[in-house]
Amino acid sequence: MNIIFYGHACFGIEINGTHVLVDPFITGNPLASHINIEDLKADYILLTHAHQDHILDVEVIAERTGAIIVSNYEIVMHYGAKNLKGHPVNHGGTFKTETFSAKYVNAVHTSSFPDGSYGGQPGGFVISNEEKSLYIAGDTAVTMDMKLIPMTTKLSAAIFPIGDNFTMGVEDAIIASNLVECNKIIGCHFNTFPPIEINTEEAKNKFAKANKELTILEIGKSLTL
Ligand code: NI
Ligand code: MN
């Protein structure tokens, strides 16, 4: 499983040749101005919720690639009305393909489209193939529901928001990593806007003190699980 960071909460995940794009928000992110959305590959686009900073580039990418949008029912219906392909799930449900599965799990947040219309309930995804599992928490507070994940899944890594203000911050993300029983955390949802600016070195040190590893990927850089 190869994970590339496209800024904010957007990641491209390559799983045995299948390309999964998560929460595309690139053209609105000045920190990601070196990423060209025309170059991005996507067989599936996973959306955690309907907020602008997670869906801005969905339509352009889905139209070009023909990718299948996987998200909650309301979000998939929204894009279906625009003739984009999708597969709806809801909390607790797992979307399965030949190369990977993606379980839609609880998140504590909100979900409305930029025009204020209803975007269903927000979630996260647990993406698994035969060897590895990756938890993408989505925008969320730390929540006891995270304890459910290790009951069924041994995580290889987890992607957590760490920017505070709209989501959990670093201290709560450390608690979350205990709840999901995973010490390898990849940070997201920080530094894109002034309210979520953080000191990433300090954040890494706090994780290290808790015997955990926080990876801060440069935008455009990747890591392999
Ligand atoms: Ni949000
Ligand atoms: Mn967000």
Side-chain angles (χ1 to χ4, degrees):
M1 216 182 263
N2 190 56
I3 302 166
I4 178 162
F5 184 42
Y6 291 123
H8 197 53
C10 180
F11 290 86
I13 300 159
E14 197 201 324
I15 309 158
N16 306 335
T18 299
H19 291 90
V20 177
L21 186 66
V22 182
D23 285 359
F25 171 78
I26 293 154
T27 59
N29 182 359
L31 303 177
S33 57
H34 57 296
I35 306 294
N36 183 353
I37 60 167
E38 296 299 317
D39 296 338
L40 301 188
K41 293 179 182 166
D43 299 301
Y44 300 93
I45 300 175
L46 272 50
L47 301 176
T48 60
H49 64 296
H51 284 160
Q52 170 95 322
D53 60 317
H54 298 256
I55 60 150
L56 181 68
D57 297 315
V58 169
E59 287 179 37
V60 170
I61 296 169
E63 266 165 26
R64 176 177 56 80
T65 59
I68 295 168
I69 296 166
V70 180
S71 189
N72 69 35
Y73 181 82
E74 290 78 7
I75 290 175
V76 168
M77 290 306 117
H78 171 94
Y79 288 114
K82 296 169 186 269
N83 288 319
L84 295 172
K85 285 188 267 179
H87 180 99
V89 289
N90 218 324
H91 300 89
T94 303
F95 173 69
K96 295 189 183 90
T97 75
E98 276 178 18
T99 45
F100 75 98
S101 66
K103 183 174 187 180
Y104 196 57
V105 296
N106 293 348
V108 174
H109 194 66
T110 56
S111 176
S112 50
F113 284 96
D115 67 0
S117 62
Y118 181 53
Q121 295 292 306
F125 289 99
V126 178
I127 298 177
S128 303
N129 68 1
E130 273 162 25
E131 298 104 45
K132 306 281 178 182
S133 284
L134 171 69
Y135 171 40
I136 297 170
D139 284 9
T140 186
V142 63
T143 162
M144 291 301 277
D145 287 345
M146 290 171 173
K147 285 188 91 156
L148 294 167
I149 293 169
M151 290 181 186
T152 56
T153 308
K154 171 97 189 87
L155 294 175
S156 315
I159 296 176
F160 282 167
I162 54 170
D164 214 330
N165 196 82
F166 298 116
T167 66
M168 58 188 176
V170 171
E171 280 81 7
D172 282 358
I174 290 170
I175 296 170
S177 93
N178 284 325
L179 296 179
V180 300
E181 298 175 17
C182 177
N183 291 332
K184 189 173 175 54
I185 306 301
I186 300 161
C188 73
H189 216 277
F190 62 91
N191 288 358
T192 319
F193 322 110
I196 60 171
E197 275 172 14
I198 64 161
N199 181 328
T200 52
E201 283 310 305
E202 219 171 78
K204 281 193 231 174
N205 290 338
K206 283 181 182 171
F207 271 83
K209 266 190 199 143
N211 295 316
K212 297 171 187 302
E213 183 191 4
L214 174 67
T215 300
I216 302 286
L217 284 171
E218 264 176 63
I219 296 173
K221 294 282 187 295
S222 64
L223 73 80
T224 301
L225 289 185

